[in-house]
Amino acid sequence: MKIHEYQAKAIIAKYGVNVPKGHVAKTVEDALTQAAKLEGEVKVVKAQIHAGGRGKGGGVKVSKGTEAVKANATAILGMQLVTHQTGPEGQKVRTVLVEEGMDIKTELYFSVLVDRASKQVVLLASTEGGMDIEEVAAHTPEKILKEYVNPVIGLRPYQTSRLAFGLGLDKFGPKVLRQAHGFFSGLYNAFMAEGCDLLEINPMIVTGDERLLALDCKMSFDSNALYRHPETLALRDLDEEDPAEVEASNHDLNFIKLDGKIGCMVNGAGLAMASMDILATYGGSPANFLDVGGTADENRVENAFRIITQDPNVNCILINIFGGIVRCDIIANGVVQAFKKVSLKIPVVVRLEGTNAELAHEIITQSGLGNKLIMVDGFGPAARKAVELSTHQG
Ligand code: GDP
Ligand code: MN
């Protein structure tokens, strides 16, 4: 789960990490009121959306004077902000953060994340701040410093020192150097205590008055840890999330929207991945990832149908269920009932294998939905049939 920059900054500030003073606003008038509370002539108006790359997309504007704040807030609020992370349709800006302008001496990069290979939390830092870290990693990986944190020992001061000197913070004087440990360990502590899976500061800056600050902050949470953090769930912004994904999560379905044409209803994440792969192998394109789970019943199947068919691109559905714990006849009944209830107009290819599969075949064959609800034996043949039907529908 992601949150906005202003929310993330409020959290890290509690861990002793310096951030610029700022306030949020949802209207131009309020942006001006908030700007007036800040010292200095220069303010920065920043679009609050759940995607990075806002600066390049015109969503971050340094504004000198009240008129500039007004013009920039007017331009940014309500805009459809397109960045490399939003997709071509962009994301509507509903909130701006108005911050005091900073006298930036240098922009650096810092993040905390989980390194799956070493099963440790790792701190990454680079002098190449403010730009795409993926680019830096691809072309000049030697410019990325890494400190792995032993989970038993925790982050040690020698590690934060190594990062500080590696970044050349000593060149900015002892005052800056002294802030480094608190800055890095504050972010590490926030990451651990808040149940994050990513905490990224790009850029962190050194200012003319020798302060170390987080100028941007991207924080996302491990959804498996959210039950321990009800206060984090309250920060969720549903306007930023795909409506179909929100509905799916309300029904406890594991759903991710994709841009293809074949809706997928599968039980088990592994089978769901394999289904998407095999559709692609036969030249089809999955419209979603959907794991209906091991307890797929009529209700879940109906909700899944409803969510899949919300997507206007979907012109065919592939149901691929392996009855291990769940019985195929229950799924078949669920599919027939749900098919009628949702009054589906597009063809559905069904492959049911496992416990009570024969019974399931009978239920589908006798449903009278023959030409729309097509039973196919075998994983490969079912996927091929779905691709064929999807292609014919154009
Ligand atoms: P992102 O593009 O979504 O990552 O948004 P950022 O918050 O990182 O802002 C993009 C860039 O805007 C930063 O790398 C800075 O160069 C610039 N920027 C942001 N805040 C300030 C500020 O207070 N003063 C100045 N001069 N530049 C800023
Ligand atoms: Mn940034």
Side-chain angles (χ1 to χ4, degrees), residues 34-46:
Q34 301 309 328
K37 294 181 189 166
L38 300 170
E39 279 170 33
E41 207 198 348
V42 179
K43 319 282 195 275
V44 184
V45 181
K46 308 184 78 175

Side-chain angles (χ1 to χ4, degrees), residues 216-266:
D216 188 9
C217 183
K218 185 173 176 180
M219 192 180 236
S220 78
F221 300 91
D222 179 349
S223 52
N224 292 315
L226 279 174
Y227 75 97
R228 293 198 292 226
H229 299 279
E231 75 289 354
T232 303
L233 266 179
L235 301 176
R236 190 165 171 195
D237 183 351
L238 295 178
D239 285 336
E240 290 284 323
E241 295 178 31
D242 183 84
E245 290 182 12
V246 173
E247 194 186 339
S249 79
N250 290 340
H251 296 299
D252 216 16
L253 293 165
N254 214 338
F255 175 90
I256 293 160
K257 192 185 164 332
L258 301 166
D259 52 11
K261 292 185 171 173
I262 304 172
C264 301
M265 192 189 303
V266 188

Side-chain angles (χ1 to χ4, degrees), residues 307-330:
I307 290 161
I308 290 175
T309 51
Q310 273 175 15
D311 179 349
N313 289 332
V314 171
N315 62 10
C316 175
I317 296 175
L318 171 66
I319 300 181
N320 187 11
I321 303 280
F322 178 75
I325 298 167
V326 70
R327 281 162 37 201
C328 289
D329 55 317
I330 294 183

Side-chain angles (χ1 to χ4, degrees), residues 334-371:
V335 169
V336 171
Q337 301 290 329
F339 196 101
K340 290 177 179 163
K341 244 179 166 164
V342 181
S343 63
L344 276 183
K345 307 256 181 316
I346 53 175
V348 177
V349 177
V350 191
R351 182 240 175 182
L352 287 165
E353 199 58 72
T355 314
N356 287 359
E358 299 80 13
L359 207 53
H361 277 239
E362 251 167 64
I363 292 165
I364 303 259
T365 322
Q366 287 166 11
S367 67
L369 299 167
N371 59 336

Side-chain angles (χ1 to χ4, degrees), residues 52-54 130 200-203 216-217:
R54 296 163 301 165
E200 183 179 65
I201 308 298
N202 190 21
D216 188 9
C217 183

Side-chain angles (χ1 to χ4, degrees), residues 5 44 46 51-56 60 62 99-104 107 130 202-203 215-216:
E5 174 193 3
V44 184
K46 308 184 78 175
R54 296 163 301 165
K56 278 186 200 144
V60 177
V62 178
E99 280 189 341
E100 56 184 12
M102 291 288 126
D103 168 20
I104 302 175
E107 297 196 4
N202 190 21
L215 200 60
D216 188 9

